Amino acid sequence: MQVQKVQTKDDWKVSFSLIKQLRTHLTEESYFEHLQQMPNYQGWVVFDGTPKAFIGFEERHNFYNERHLFVHDFVTDEKERSKGYGEKLIAALITYAEKHQFSYIALESGIQRTEAHRFYEDKMGFHKWCYSFRKGIDW
């Protein structure tokens, strides 16, 4: 089981099968269109023969989280959950954050994802500290 940086178009294509489980509205075409608009987005994948889990994040800086990593996408293949793949990715991200002196790792998670919240809080030591809001704009 190894964590690998997603770098080539083929790597991103392989990762799409995982992203699609989380972002069901995406097509492969729209996935690549979005990636072109996200120049600071980084992806890591856990391989254990085949891709098992994916994490997509950015390095950011703001007033409240200071210099931090923001996780946009985190998914373990639905057939491979509870086997340590997600834990391996988060542990690698924590190591990276410590090595590069980031203040936090931040993420958002849908209200309905109670199993994911349990994983973040109970297993990985994340703390709920705010709500996130958004408003759709019709144009």
Side-chain angles (χ1 to χ4, degrees):
M1 177 179 1
Q2 71 181 57
V3 175
Q4 194 174 309
K5 187 174 183 179
V6 179
Q7 294 180 302
T8 68
K9 185 166 184 172
D10 286 341
D11 292 343
W12 286 106
K13 191 170 189 156
V14 167
S15 300
F16 177 69
S17 65
L18 294 169
I19 291 284
K20 179 71 174 164
Q21 292 179 32
L22 182 65
R23 309 292 180 212
T24 56
H25 66 283
L26 290 176
T27 63
E28 192 170 303
E29 183 181 346
S30 66
Y31 169 70
F32 280 106
E33 287 172 4
H34 284 295
L35 280 173
Q36 289 178 350
Q37 301 300 315
M38 302 177 340
N40 299 319
Y41 187 81
Q42 299 179 55
W44 292 355
V45 67
V46 171
F47 276 98
D48 194 0
T50 59
K52 304 295 184 181
F54 173 87
I55 196 163
F57 64 95
E58 282 185 281
E59 298 178 9
R60 287 185 167 180
H61 199 123
N62 58 32
F63 294 118
Y64 53 94
N65 279 331
E66 302 167 343
R67 187 166 178 263
H68 67 284
L69 300 175
F70 188 87
V71 176
H72 292 282
D73 305 291
F74 179 53
V75 60
T76 298
D77 186 296
E78 58 195 4
K79 298 175 295 244
E80 303 290 346
R81 296 201 175 130
S82 299
K83 295 181 180 178
Y85 299 120
E87 211 169 324
K88 178 92 170 171
L89 269 179
I90 293 288
L93 197 62
I94 290 168
T95 299
Y96 179 84
E98 290 169 345
K99 180 180 178 185
H100 297 283
Q101 299 179 322
F102 288 93
S103 299
Y104 297 99
I105 296 172
L107 59 85
E108 296 175 345
S109 182
I111 295 167
Q112 76 284 2
R113 300 192 66 227
T114 54
E115 289 299 313
H117 303 164
R118 206 173 350 269
F119 170 78
Y120 297 135
E121 293 178 294
D122 298 345
K123 207 163 207 177
M124 302 311 300
F126 283 73
H127 304 282
K128 248 185 257 180
W129 73 283
C130 74
Y131 289 98
S132 180
F133 297 91
R134 70 181 187 180
K135 178 176 177 37
I137 306 299
D138 295 324
W139 40 277

